[in-house]
Amino acid sequence: MKKILKALKVILVSLGAIIVMGSGTFYIMAKNSAQPASMNMGSMSSMNMGSDDHSKMSNSKAQNEIPMSTLVEKPSDAPVKTFEITAEDKKIDTGRGRIVDAWTYNGTLPGPEIRVQQGDRVIVHLKNRLTEGVTIHWHGVELPNAEDGVAGLTQDSVPPGGEFTYDFIAKLPGTYWYHSHQESNKETTKGLYGTLIVEPKQSTVHYDKDYTAVLHDWDHDINTVNGTSNGEHFNA
């Protein structure tokens, strides 16, 4: 019986040692697999990138770095449509005596509708008359990165008193919207949004009138359609 108990103790001690060693190994593996603070993608020659040969990837910024400001629309003879937009604060009566302290494009809610045809060159001059930086992001629109309006990524935000000109070709027809992408949730909620309509060159649908309805949810349970909570009416 004593021999059996002694054998069991040896087994338990061995198992304990294995568990401790295994835990230590797991900790070291987990520690080594933690995401580093930074990675040099040019030096990761051991990474399996697929069937292509990436062994000649260079670390030289002079060879690989492309300034964002150079990613612009190429010159063309496309028809030009020019728009002036000013970001400014304004008290807006949404109806029923409900006043909101809004940030607007051109003092309206929503901002001015930009309507162009497919293939037009769209030039928008933005002026910032607010106390914080703004941009215009063209949501869902195919355009060069330098015109995309994402602050901190594709451009710096336009500072108070500053200006910026967006310049791109309206390539694909559709109904789009634009909004500020500097603290997007805050600034869009306060009213910095509008619509961009790109009409097709050749439409297969015939209609008498095209209406755009923009819904917005404000604080204090205020819901608006095209800037009013009184309801919007469209003639049939």
Side-chain angles (χ1 to χ4, degrees):
M1 188 66 180
K2 291 183 178 179
K3 291 182 178 181
I4 295 175
L5 291 174
K6 187 175 182 180
L8 286 174
K9 286 182 180 180
V10 171
I11 293 173
L12 290 174
V13 169
S14 300
L15 286 174
I18 291 171
I19 292 172
V20 170
M21 291 175 64
S23 300
T25 302
F26 177 78
Y27 172 79
I28 293 171
M29 291 174 65
K31 188 71 175 178
N32 289 338
S33 67
Q35 182 176 346
S38 63
M39 293 186 292
N40 186 337
M41 299 302 291
S43 65
M44 301 182 73
S45 57
S46 62
M47 180 180 288
N48 183 1
M49 302 291 285
S51 59
D52 295 334
D53 180 12
H54 294 268
S55 60
K56 296 182 180 180
M57 292 176 68
S58 171
N59 294 335
S60 172
K61 289 186 177 181
Q63 293 181 16
N64 294 334
E65 188 175 85
I66 300 176
M68 185 68 68
S69 59
T70 66
L71 301 178
V72 297
E73 198 70 76
K74 296 179 180 179
S76 74
D77 57 357
V80 177
K81 300 289 178 63
T82 303
F83 303 87
E84 301 288 338
I85 291 184
T86 300
E88 56 189 349
D89 57 358
K90 190 172 183 180
K91 291 186 179 296
I92 300 290
D93 185 355
T94 63
R96 305 175 188 175
R98 294 180 171 183
I99 308 295
V100 295
D101 292 315
W103 288 0
T104 70
Y105 290 126
N106 287 8
T108 64
L109 293 176
E113 179 182 274
I114 298 176
R115 185 175 289 266
V116 299
Q117 278 202 323
Q118 182 182 10
D120 285 348
R121 191 176 197 101
V122 183
I123 296 180
V124 178
H125 300 299
L126 171 65
K127 298 177 182 179
N128 184 10
R129 299 296 179 261
L130 293 170
T131 57
E132 296 187 24
V134 299
T135 66
I136 296 179
H137 170 61
W138 310 95
H139 202 103
V141 180
E142 180 183 320
L143 40 61
N145 265 357
E147 315 299 338
D148 198 37
V150 180
L153 184 62
T154 61
Q155 73 167 96
D156 293 332
S157 65
V158 182
E163 301 182 7
F164 188 88
T165 298
Y166 296 94
D167 180 353
F168 60 91
I169 302 291
K171 299 178 180 68
L172 300 176
T175 299
Y176 304 95
W177 70 299
Y178 62 88
H179 60 88
S180 178
H181 217 300
Q182 166 71 1
E183 294 189 81
S184 182
N185 183 59
K186 171 186 175 181
E187 297 195 353
T188 303
T189 299
K190 288 180 71 66
L192 290 174
Y193 62 89
T195 56
L196 167 65
I197 312 297
V198 181
E199 299 175 338
K201 280 187 175 180
Q202 296 181 340
S203 178
T204 58
V205 178
H206 299 283
Y207 48 85
D208 296 324
K209 180 67 177 178
D210 182 14
Y211 295 99
T212 304
V214 182
L215 284 65
H216 192 65
D217 182 16
W218 298 84
D219 293 333
H220 310 298
D221 297 324
I222 299 177
N223 301 297
T224 60
V225 179
N226 291 349
T228 177
S229 58
N230 287 332
E232 184 79 324
H233 301 279
F234 301 100
N235 296 323

